[in-house]
Amino acid sequence: MMEQKFVDFEIGKQKHIALVAHDGKKAAMVDWCDKHKEILKNHFLCGTGTTARLIAERTGLPVRAYNSGPLGGDQQIGAKIVEGGIDFMVFLWDPLEAQPHDPDVKALLRIAVVYDIPVANNLATADFMLTSRYMEETYSRKVLNFTAAVEERVEKMK
Ligand SMILES: O=C(CO)COP(=O)(O)O
């Protein structure tokens, strides 16, 4: 039997949301979280170190804090996406400021696409996502079947 190229991963009704913002976007992120805290409180929240702390302090919501972005926080969140522990992300990256950890930023954005998780990179998209009917439902995201992909690659490399 031909192996499926993609497999379904379910995003539950309760989302595992990563919140990440560059310095120039932190105020906007904190304001946005405060404005939407009645919705956000129904989900599991996490974020890069500084962003998570600022959101938790302003809103009173529990936000699991990973390392600060430039110190590996983006990579930790990327790893969690790979493991299936994060399935929704608001990442307000700053288009007007160079980042020392730009490769990590790119890697996180890339892995979010690979794992087909909803990602907002600006407030308008974040608003659309948060008011989507899928916030109240489960959603089936499509992820490349890595078992089949590895099998195929191993056969090819032999
Ligand atoms: O740099 C970041 C994302 O790339 C954010 O990290 P902090 O939330 O620790 O500032």
Side-chain angles (χ1 to χ4, degrees):
M1 200 182 88
M2 256 241 303
E3 288 231 57
Q4 263 185 296
K5 202 161 168 45
F6 290 89
V7 287
D8 289 333
F9 278 76
E10 187 183 277
I11 301 179
K13 283 189 188 177
Q14 222 174 349
K15 278 53 177 169
H16 292 80
I17 302 178
L19 301 161
V20 184
H22 286 154
D23 290 358
K25 296 285 176 181
K26 281 189 171 64
M29 172 66 98
V30 171
D31 286 348
W32 184 82
C33 289
D34 202 33
K35 188 167 135 196
H36 296 292
K37 67 178 170 201
E38 284 307 307
I39 299 174
L40 293 173
K41 74 173 191 210
N42 300 319
H43 303 281
F44 301 104
L45 308 178
C46 69
T48 44
T50 322
T51 309
R53 274 277 298 280
L54 290 169
I55 295 168
E57 279 176 19
R58 165 79 86 83
T59 64
L61 296 171
V63 188
R64 177 179 179 177
Y66 288 99
N67 271 12
S68 182
L71 299 176
D74 296 56
Q75 294 201 31
Q76 288 179 301
I77 289 179
K80 279 284 160 204
I81 292 172
V82 174
E83 292 167 6
I86 292 173
D87 50 28
F88 191 106
M89 181 164 71
V90 179
F91 185 173
L92 302 183
W93 56 270
D94 190 345
L96 301 177
E97 193 77 60
Q99 302 295 325
H101 56 307
D102 190 55
D104 299 12
V105 173
K106 293 259 165 54
L108 174 53
L109 293 171
R110 177 180 174 277
I111 216 70
V113 173
V114 172
Y115 282 83
D116 195 25
I117 70 163
V119 179
N121 290 141
N122 58 28
L123 291 175
T125 313
D127 280 339
F128 272 75
M129 265 166 50
L130 216 64
T131 51
S132 158
R133 71 180 167 90
Y134 292 121
M135 289 306 291
E136 310 291 330
E137 297 173 16
T138 59
Y139 180 87
S140 187
R141 60 192 167 101
K142 308 274 177 243
V143 180
L144 192 71
N145 183 345
F146 286 103
T147 312
V150 168
E151 285 300 329
E152 197 183 303
R153 282 173 54 73
V154 167
E155 282 310 311
K156 210 159 75 186
M157 303 294 156
K158 268 182 184 166

